[in-house]
Amino acid sequence: MDARIREHAEIIADHSTGIESGDNVVIQLPKEAEDLAVALHEICGDRGANPVYLNYSKRAQRAFKRSSAEFTQPSHRRALYEEADVFVIARGGQNATEDADVDPDTNAAYNRAMEEVKRTRLSKTWCLTQYPTASHAQLAGMSTEAYENFVWDAVSLDWDAQREFQAEMVEILDAADEVRIKSGEETDLTMDLSGNSTLNDYGEANLPGGEVFTAPVRDGVDGEVHFDLPLYRYGREIDGVRLRFEDGKVVSHSAERNEDLLTGILDTDEGSRHLGELGIGMNRQIDRFTYNMLFDEKMGDTVHMAVGSAYPETVGEENEVNESAEHVDMIVDMSEDSVIEVDGEVVQRNGTFVFEDGF
């Protein structure tokens, strides 16, 4: 086994989740990641934890979605999640576009049925990570070896140093009432952050980490945004997304590619037309776009926003938590002709923060 796989498992167990004696651990990985599953099972055995291994197959999930007339909440799956203490989930698989031919309305219906189950999982200690596979290497335009190096270099970052670096931006946003994102000629968006909290993502729930994130006040988003980097969702590329917000809600939208899929996402439920997250990428180790949001949203010189559900931890007691079966991140490149303003003061210009050299 590649020594970096064991290191990956140790980082998940020690830094990301803190697996300890007596923990019920759900390990959900694709079959290509069996070595990571083996390493995690060894750690669980050493520590007296109780693992359950779910072999996740996007191909099987596609078959279920395409053959079902309707979806209901799977109570047995929810029961498993209720009894679990820790979740470890890894992306991978043979085909990154396996579910590209599932109808957007079907995906929306499935997500609505799974919403309560997902909330149960998110209420526990969890870690979402990536196992480097050839399909994701191909998606990123990299050789398999280069992609393995990219993934494991990003995972094995000095997370204490990363936490300290990001803490400076957390302090700025935590004191903010309003943030304004301006980029080029097409993005000028203001968000009310009053009363909400900013979290420092340094490789715990997401591995790799490398962002700070918060939630805008539900009805406090106005303006227009052009997401100039594409994303993959349900196996299809959505590119050139433009959204216009009034009083927190998407009132018009377009996409240069797969607009029907974007429309399906926004029509999932009432909450899917509101922003649930504003994130600022701060991981300089992630220095290239790979069509993988787990990495791309962490890149330095970017911000991302998610339509759909907000993380309750980021929402103050006086504010409403936006709820939705969707949470879809989209990215704005902030490396040129761009600023982030907080309460009227520029805190980032062309990707450089006010606390960095060269600002």
Side-chain angles (χ1 to χ4, degrees), residues 73-112:
Q73 182 185 125
S75 58
H76 60 308
R77 186 168 178 178
R78 184 174 179 178
L80 171 65
Y81 287 9
E82 287 173 343
E83 291 297 319
D85 299 301
V86 175
F87 288 87
V88 179
I89 302 171
R91 294 175 176 170
Q94 291 183 334
N95 183 357
T97 63
E98 183 66 57
D99 52 356
D101 55 358
V102 177
D103 184 80
D105 290 340
T106 300
N107 282 319
Y110 177 80
N111 287 336
R112 286 193 294 269

Side-chain angles (χ1 to χ4, degrees), residues 4 32 59 85 96 126 158 161 174 183 217 304 308 339 356 359:
R4 295 173 298 179
E32 291 78 12
R59 182 182 174 201
D85 299 301
W126 57 275
D158 182 338
D174 256 351
S183 182
V217 174
H304 59 276
V339 296
E356 290 186 293
F359 178 77

